[in-house]
Amino acid sequence: WGMRWGQSDFCPGADNTHWAGSYMDLGAVTKHSASHAKPNGLILQYGTAGFRTKAEHLDHVMFRMGLLAVLRSKQTKSTIGVMVTASHNPEEDNGVKLVDPLGEMLAPSWEEHATCLANAEEQDIQRVLIDISKKEAVNLQQDAFVVIGRDTRPSSEKLSQSVIDGVTVLGGQFHDYGLLTTPQLHYMVYCRNTSGRYGKATTEGYYQKLSKAFLELTKQASCSGDEYRSLKVDCANGIGALKLREMEHYFSQGLSVQLFNDGTKGKLNHLCGADFVKSHQKPPQGMEMKSNERCCSFDGDADRIVYYYHDADGHFHLVDGDKIATLISSFLKELLLEIGESLNIGVVQTAYANGSSTRYLEEVMKVPVYCTKTGVKHLHHKAQEFDIGVYFEANGHGTALFSTTVEMKIKQLAEELEDKKRKAAKMLENVIDLFNQAAGDAISDMLVIEAILALKGLTVQQWDALYADLPNRQLKVKVADRRVISTTDAERQAVTPPGLQEAINDLVKKYKLSRAFVRPSGTEDVVRVYAEADSQENADSLAHEVSLAVFQLAGGIGERPQPCF
Ligand code: 16G
Ligand code: MG
């Protein structure tokens, strides 16, 4: 999980204690830091989703991220967010990530500062803080404001107090939102830094903005009344349950939700939630599914969503992030056609996107598709290049981004155009409001999907039938050091170790409609293997053969991978 024990690579810096000491109470920092002591020899890395490890190892990281958030806030002259969560990880874990001014993931150069600060030995903290301030030209006299949110883990409350301790010791102001979904915190940060133009920075503001857009949209759907819409939601025993409960009555005229795994009994993420459903390709425990009923799962911090159903024969069907992206982008494309504006739309995926989805998007829908490395920040960044950028990971994290030009144009068209076009423009206006443009958001995505299904009169089966997924398999391989694997071409090709890509190429050739790649995980100490092929048997066997190649060529440890299907 980006966790090691050993000696940290010291991040050097000149001694500017005197200069900084006049703006930062470094003595107080040292004093407070001592009560958030770093376990000896622990080294952590700010990875794809911030720091993540066992909760008991994180107190010092939280305190220090409070410090760092203050510096980032001073530098950007904006509100910065700190979210305490470990998403879909087991309940005993926790994590923290910083949210940048427009609700985005922390900038890469600051990820390095975060790693440096988290690993500094007690006596070096002052120096690291000064070094970051110098390097990033932070005006230490600037005010700082930090907002904090946390998930429902037992450890989260205390850890968020440590963040607050860090913020206050450096003289920052803060607002503690308490329990929030991750995307809600991103939303709050975005609202606060755009003087309320994006929305009101309260949960009430969030509920109202989304629900209003949702009801405006579904009001247009022809089937209502007797076709009253309902949905079963597995909340992973997490924060999503609390927030959906709070929000439910704002949109209940358009959709009734039935909550499962709402945290009253089960354990967070245990045998439930979006990650479980996607990776095991089976329904969560604790959900009563009748055939052909539309169901969905959130993950532990409600930034991912997948849909699924049982058909009449009792077969389970997963409708994942790729199908969500397809549904959303075809709907948006149709709206644009009706409006008659030539705005460019692009879909962003990762190597995990099912080959059928990419083919369908490119060949049937004629939408350009781009592939980036795994991790939301890469997809989000790419999606910003388009007038309308839809991005989704197959695991269900994603959203749509609309450029300011589009927003302004659509607002204008919604007033001006002839009837039919105006209706489409108004619809798009509401769709824009319904998406959380700061981050992938299970609640917002759920409402977007429900609105589209209602408007198009589609059942979940019809949606699922857009294309047939290629059978696929994901496996993990344990190696001594996963950093021996490096990749290129958005993780689709292995560059090192030598011979690995050639071996994969040879294996892939043995199967039809096949594809495979390997990459070191950014969140777990394993190498991930992905394979797809014309049948489940072939996908399984290709994945197994690739695992063996990784084990042999990349320093596998423990037992050799066994064919387990
Ligand atoms: C993190 C990422 C997620 C990615 C996953 C991959 C964010 C907010 N989350 O959860 O997007 O799919 O890591 O995990 O960026 P892996 O590197 O272990 O496969
Ligand atoms: Mg998550």
Side-chain angles (χ1 to χ4, degrees), residues 50-292:
F51 293 104
R52 219 177 262 189
T53 187
K54 294 272 161 272
E56 73 232 42
H57 292 146
L58 279 168
D59 182 51
H60 68 295
V61 177
M62 297 292 165
F63 173 74
R64 295 169 186 206
M65 288 308 104
L67 300 175
L68 191 72
V70 169
L71 294 186
R72 182 66 173 153
S73 171
K74 285 177 188 280
Q75 188 219 25
T76 56
K77 303 185 174 54
S78 306
T79 296
I80 293 296
V82 181
M83 183 71 199
V84 177
T85 180
S87 182
H88 55 278
N89 283 39
E91 188 167 278
E92 308 74 60
D93 290 2
N94 218 321
V96 58
K97 62 183 169 192
L98 267 60
V99 178
D100 254 1
L102 295 181
E104 294 160 284
M105 303 290 170
L106 185 64
S109 62
W110 282 77
E111 289 188 0
E112 279 174 39
H113 301 325
T115 300
C116 209
L117 187 57
N119 296 322
E121 295 305 328
E122 224 48 63
Q123 69 273 15
D124 299 324
I125 290 212
Q126 294 194 3
R127 245 191 297 177
V128 172
L129 286 174
I130 293 163
D131 189 39
I132 297 170
S133 309
K134 281 249 141 184
K135 262 195 201 144
E136 296 289 348
V138 176
N139 176 0
L140 294 172
Q141 284 169 291
Q142 183 69 36
D143 288 337
F145 199 86
V146 177
V147 291
I148 298 140
R150 63 167 198 269
D151 71 10
T152 55
R153 280 161 213 273
S155 59
S156 291
E157 186 167 2
K158 187 160 176 285
L159 290 175
S160 72
Q161 284 304 319
S162 305
V163 174
I164 291 172
D165 206 9
V167 172
T168 41
V169 79
L170 268 194
Q173 306 251 3
F174 71 92
H175 177 78
D176 180 12
Y177 279 101
L179 293 164
L180 278 190
T181 70
T182 297
Q184 282 179 328
L185 182 76
H186 285 258
Y187 164 91
M188 301 303 173
V189 173
Y190 197 12
C191 290
R192 283 176 179 265
N193 290 315
T194 47
S195 341
R197 276 193 307 282
Y198 188 67
K200 258 181 82 186
T202 58
T203 41
E204 175 83 16
Y206 171 95
Y207 298 145
Q208 277 172 349
K209 179 182 175 184
L210 269 61
S211 302
K212 178 167 173 284
F214 177 71
L215 291 176
E216 290 283 328
L217 279 169
T218 44
K219 189 162 89 182
Q220 316 253 5
S222 44
C223 46
S224 54
D226 51 353
E227 293 212 34
Y228 191 67
R229 301 188 70 87
S230 70
L231 173 69
K232 291 186 166 174
V233 187
D234 152 33
C235 299
N237 290 315
I239 182 68
L242 300 182
K243 297 298 150 179
L244 199 51
R245 275 261 145 77
E246 275 174 28
M247 184 177 187
E248 182 177 20
H249 70 272
Y250 289 86
F251 61 71
S252 54
Q253 273 168 285
L255 174 73
S256 103
V257 286
Q258 206 182 336
L259 274 49
F260 295 85
N261 298 322
D262 65 354
T264 46
K265 299 190 290 285
K267 207 172 166 185
L268 178 69
N269 296 326
H270 183 60
L271 305 175
C272 61
D275 195 63
F276 173 86
V277 173
K278 168 74 184 164
S279 48
H280 293 81
Q281 312 217 1
K282 64 179 184 198
Q285 258 185 20
M287 172 98 124
E288 300 141 29
M289 286 171 71
K290 295 206 195 85
S291 70
N292 293 330

Side-chain angles (χ1 to χ4, degrees), residues 325-343 345 360 364-367 388 390 410 420-421 423-425 427-428 431 451-453 455-458 466:
T326 311
L327 180 77
I328 291 171
S329 45
S330 38
F331 179 74
L332 289 173
K333 201 175 168 190
E334 274 173 34
L335 273 187
L336 285 182
L337 272 178
E338 273 181 47
I339 299 169
E341 287 291 316
S342 61
L343 295 167
I345 175 167
Y360 181 85
V364 182
M365 286 180 42
K366 312 270 183 237
V367 181
I388 301 180
V390 178
I410 295 301
K420 193 169 164 235
K421 291 190 175 185
K423 202 174 146 201
M427 213 177 254
L428 188 50
V431 172
I452 297 176
L453 294 178
L455 285 163
K456 313 235 17 132
L458 284 176
L466 283 179

Side-chain angles (χ1 to χ4, degrees), residues 1 47-50 52 86-89 97 105 182 186 275 299 301 303-304 350 352 373-379 391 393-398 439-440 474 482 491 519-528:
W1 328 72
T48 8
R52 219 177 262 189
S87 182
H88 55 278
N89 283 39
K97 62 183 169 192
M105 303 290 170
T182 297
H186 285 258
D275 195 63
D299 73 336
D301 62 340
D303 64 354
R304 289 191 197 177
T350 70
Y352 288 108
K373 292 204 283 189
T374 300
V376 172
K377 64 180 173 206
H378 303 294
L379 292 111
Y391 74 83
E393 290 191 308
N395 64 26
H397 187 117
Q474 281 197 54
R482 68 193 196 277
E491 304 178 319
R519 54 176 282 279
S521 157
T523 64
E524 243 184 292
D525 193 10
V526 295
V527 174
R528 295 203 194 283

